[in-house]
Amino acid sequence: MKNKFWLALVAILALGMATTLFFRSQLAQASPNGYGIGATVANFTLQNVGGNSVSLADYKDKKGVIVVFTTNHCPFAKAYEERIIGLDKKYASLQFPVIAINSNDASDYEEDSFDNMKKRASEKRYSFPYLQDITQAVAKAFGATRTPHVFVLKNEGSKFTVQYIGTIDDNYQDPTSVTKRYVEDAVNNILAGKPVVVTQTKAVGCAIGWKDA
């Protein structure tokens, strides 16, 4: 009886350990990898809706850029669209423009096709490039997971470094009720030569639609 008891106990402990390791591995796989605060961003080149290619290196004479992973179909992206347009209008003249990137798999969301990206940019009169990340390599490099997902990059001589990651502000539903403007605060601090106070927030939006592996 004692032997059976100990064998059963060992089996239960082994099962528990295996279950724990399984869930740990699942969490590790689900954790987004990408740039952290202070990381140097590698150059990328993507197709713009205007027909030209745009690279991060094209902005080497700017003080920084606001990279926004966004999309056509997502309700959160639509709710923030005017605010994204407003960010570019406010900061492009201060050498801190917006770069919008659509990394969604268009085969799952027809609204996110390149033709529809062109239409959207034209209809809304985007003053910034709207790039298609067709391989999704750029989104994966950044660690973007949501739309919209914002990365504020500071130009430090020969490199762009990440200074802020997260959401645009604290109220996606009602822009008139916003009390914390995270992206604006980050950019204002950088332009003033001050450190960014809030460097990370949780991105609020639709999950990026990834291609099948």
Side-chain angles (χ1 to χ4, degrees), residues 100-119:
I101 301 174
N102 188 340
S103 300
N104 261 0
D105 182 4
S107 64
D108 287 338
Y109 303 96
E110 177 57 29
E111 194 174 347
D112 292 327
S113 70
F114 194 59
D115 284 341
N116 283 325
M117 286 174 60
K118 291 180 181 178
K119 291 177 184 177

Side-chain angles (χ1 to χ4, degrees), residues 30-195:
S31 297
N33 296 315
Y35 299 124
I37 299 300
T40 299
V41 176
N43 186 44
F44 59 82
T45 302
L46 297 172
Q47 188 72 14
N48 185 23
V49 292
N52 59 312
S53 293
V54 172
S55 299
L56 180 60
D58 296 337
Y59 294 82
K60 62 185 179 181
D61 61 337
K62 305 299 181 184
K63 295 179 180 178
V65 292
I66 304 167
V67 176
V68 184
F69 289 88
T70 187
T71 184
N72 284 7
H73 86 277
C74 173
F76 293 89
K78 290 177 180 178
Y80 270 119
E81 186 174 35
E82 291 298 331
R83 277 172 272 184
I84 294 169
I85 293 170
L87 285 171
D88 190 66
K89 287 182 178 178
K90 183 172 183 176
Y91 291 109
S93 62
L94 299 175
Q95 305 302 306
F96 222 114
V98 165
I99 301 173
I101 301 174
N102 188 340
S103 300
N104 261 0
D105 182 4
S107 64
D108 287 338
Y109 303 96
E110 177 57 29
E111 194 174 347
D112 292 327
S113 70
F114 194 59
D115 284 341
N116 283 325
M117 286 174 60
K118 291 180 181 178
K119 291 177 184 177
R120 190 71 183 178
S122 176
E123 289 170 1
K124 301 298 290 187
R125 298 182 179 181
Y126 286 178
S127 55
F128 47 84
Y130 190 21
L131 313 179
Q132 185 182 44
D133 180 19
I134 194 166
T135 67
Q136 303 185 318
V138 176
K140 290 176 181 177
F142 272 82
T145 59
R146 299 280 168 180
T147 54
H149 201 157
V150 185
F151 295 76
V152 175
L153 312 183
K154 178 183 178 182
N155 187 354
E156 297 186 300
S158 60
K159 61 183 182 180
F160 285 90
T161 61
V162 180
Q163 302 295 311
Y164 171 80
I165 303 171
T167 188
I168 292 173
D169 55 43
D170 65 352
N171 196 319
Y172 78 89
Q173 294 176 308
D174 182 10
T176 64
S177 298
V178 170
T179 60
K180 296 179 180 178
R181 294 174 170 81
Y182 302 112
V183 171
E184 289 193 26
D185 288 346
V187 175
N188 288 338
N189 280 9
I190 293 169
L191 291 175
K194 299 177 181 178

Side-chain angles (χ1 to χ4, degrees), residues 4-24:
K4 288 182 178 180
F5 170 80
W6 286 113
L7 286 172
L9 181 60
V10 170
I12 291 169
L13 291 173
L15 178 61
M17 184 176 293
T19 302
T20 300
L21 290 173
F22 171 78
F23 280 109
R24 283 181 179 174

